[in-house]
Amino acid sequence: MQGLYHVRANGSLNLGLKKQLWQEKATLSLRLTDLFYTDQWRSYLRYRNVDMTWNNQYESRKILLSFTWKIGSGKVLNRHAAGSQEEENRVSN
């Protein structure tokens, strides 16, 4: 209950799948939102001589497909460590 009106329960069921491809260099993912179309806002108000009902629905079902490709070798170069070692050698001399 929020003030004078009562909000009814709502919810949604979402599903997601993810697949690694080509030695984990690429990812394919599929997401489905609100499979049963239950994410809606419903409420009612009954106060003295007022009797109102709200049923707000919107398009909450979505299908999202994404493809991600990793570019490069995936190796991280540690350039700053070499630079800081040279700096430490200069300071100690």
Side-chain angles (χ1 to χ4, degrees), residues 12-92:
S12 66
L13 177 66
N14 304 320
L15 177 69
L17 302 169
K18 185 185 232 186
K19 177 70 178 165
Q20 298 283 333
L21 305 169
W22 301 299
Q23 292 94 25
E24 298 185 3
K25 289 187 178 186
T27 304
L28 183 65
S29 70
L30 176 69
R31 292 182 289 164
L32 307 164
T33 62
D34 197 15
L35 292 175
F36 300 120
Y37 199 46
T38 55
D39 190 10
Q40 40 188 304
W41 193 76
R42 299 172 296 166
S43 62
Y44 62 91
L45 168 66
R46 288 179 181 73
Y47 180 72
R48 294 188 184 180
N49 64 344
V50 177
D51 188 4
M52 294 177 66
T53 302
W54 293 273
N55 288 319
N56 295 333
Q57 291 182 308
Y58 52 94
E59 186 54 54
S60 56
R61 287 183 285 191
K62 296 177 192 159
I63 297 175
L64 303 153
L65 179 65
S66 67
F67 180 78
T68 306
W69 183 273
K70 294 180 185 175
I71 299 174
S73 65
K75 296 178 183 177
V76 177
L77 301 177
N78 195 359
R79 296 179 187 168
H80 296 290
S84 65
Q85 184 64 35
E86 290 175 7
E87 189 69 27
E88 287 177 13
N89 290 341
R90 259 188 270 147
V91 170
S92 63

